[in-house]
Structure formats: C-alpha cells, structure tokens
Amino acid sequence: MSPSHPAIPPGFRPLSADSGFIGVNGPLYLLHQGEDVRLGLRVEPRHVNPMGNLHGGMMASFCDMLIPLTVHRTSQQPGRRFLPTISLQIDYLAPAPLGCWIEGRAELLRATRTLVFAQGLVTADGVPCARASGVFKIGPELPAGFGA
C-alpha cells in the first residue's frame, strides 16, 4: 500500500457493513481469534475534525460498535440478540491523528436478564486515546444473516 493508505495490521478483516451508518463512515476491521476480539479503523481525512484528529463523534461510534460486537463474540449472554445502547460514557484521553490506526478491545463486566454492562479501551498507534463504558439493553433476536 502507498504511504497515503497504510496497510491494515495482520489478522484484521473488513467488517461487513455495506450499508447504513458504518457502511458510509467505515470501513471498520475485525480481528477475532478465540477470545481475542479487536476492532480497528485507519483514520482517513473524512474521519477527522478541523485539527486533523479523529472526530469525537466518530470515536463515539467506534466505541458503540466495539463494545456490543465484543460481547457477542466473547460471551454466551446475550446470545444473538440486538444490544441497543442505553448509556455510553467516553473519556477522550489523547488525540488520534489522521493516518493512525485505532484499535479497541472490550470486555463484558456483567450481564443480567435484561442488561449488559461492558467497557473498552481504544489506542491510537498503541497509545491509549479513549476509554469507554456502556450499558446495553438485551433486545430482540438479530435478523438471520446478521454478522454480529
């Protein structure tokens, strides 16, 4: 790849999202090897604010995908159910500049009959840049063919 389009780290594959919000604002990349689940994004010009850093709204969207996606892949609870966000708290720790690779990991903290509590950490080229925690409702079954 050229310097303007650096390579995606080994093991990451495009997350299928050809339509909707992530289809327009991605692409996101997923690494899933056993319990190791990571979400990644190469920061492109369309993702940045006027200072050349990842826009806070894009970081929030990234975290809102990271946490439920990880819960689905690392836990039997909540099964194949949609996890709409009830609350998402983000601490912005450092900038994620244009061209950097952001990578997030998350963990399930607790699941009840109706709620999931989880948290995640995002790095920009290995430097912590955001910490997120969220509460998610255990919703209806996901549609058949949905790649959660």
Side-chain angles (χ1 to χ4, degrees):
M1 295 219 131
S2 71
S4 62
H5 297 287
I8 301 305
F12 281 87
R13 301 286 178 254
L15 183 66
S16 59
D18 296 332
S19 63
F21 183 82
I22 295 302
V24 172
N25 294 290
L28 298 179
Y29 296 87
L30 177 69
L31 181 147
H32 183 189
Q33 298 170 340
E35 291 295 307
D36 185 11
V37 176
R38 291 182 253 166
L39 192 63
L41 169 77
R42 179 69 66 193
V43 178
E44 299 177 4
R46 62 197 171 111
H47 299 134
V48 301
N49 62 25
M51 297 305 293
N53 295 308
L54 184 67
H55 189 283
M58 188 62 202
M59 179 64 80
S61 295
F62 182 86
C63 292
D64 200 32
M65 292 287 296
L66 167 67
I67 295 173
L69 185 142
T70 300
V71 169
H72 277 119
R73 285 171 168 72
T74 60
S75 174
Q76 295 298 318
Q77 178 79 0
R80 294 213 19 95
R81 297 190 163 284
F82 183 55
L83 296 176
T85 307
I86 292 175
S87 171
L88 184 65
Q89 174 69 41
I90 301 170
D91 298 316
Y92 297 92
L93 307 173
L98 176 64
C100 80
W101 175 254
I102 66 166
E103 185 171 310
R105 294 176 190 239
E107 66 178 331
L108 174 67
L109 299 174
R110 181 164 190 257
T112 69
R113 188 175 56 78
T114 58
L115 299 173
V116 166
F117 300 83
Q119 65 184 6
L121 182 67
V122 181
T123 60
D125 289 338
V127 176
C129 64
R131 176 178 57 191
S133 62
V135 180
F136 303 84
K137 173 88 172 136
I138 298 177
E141 286 284 326
L142 290 166
F146 185 81

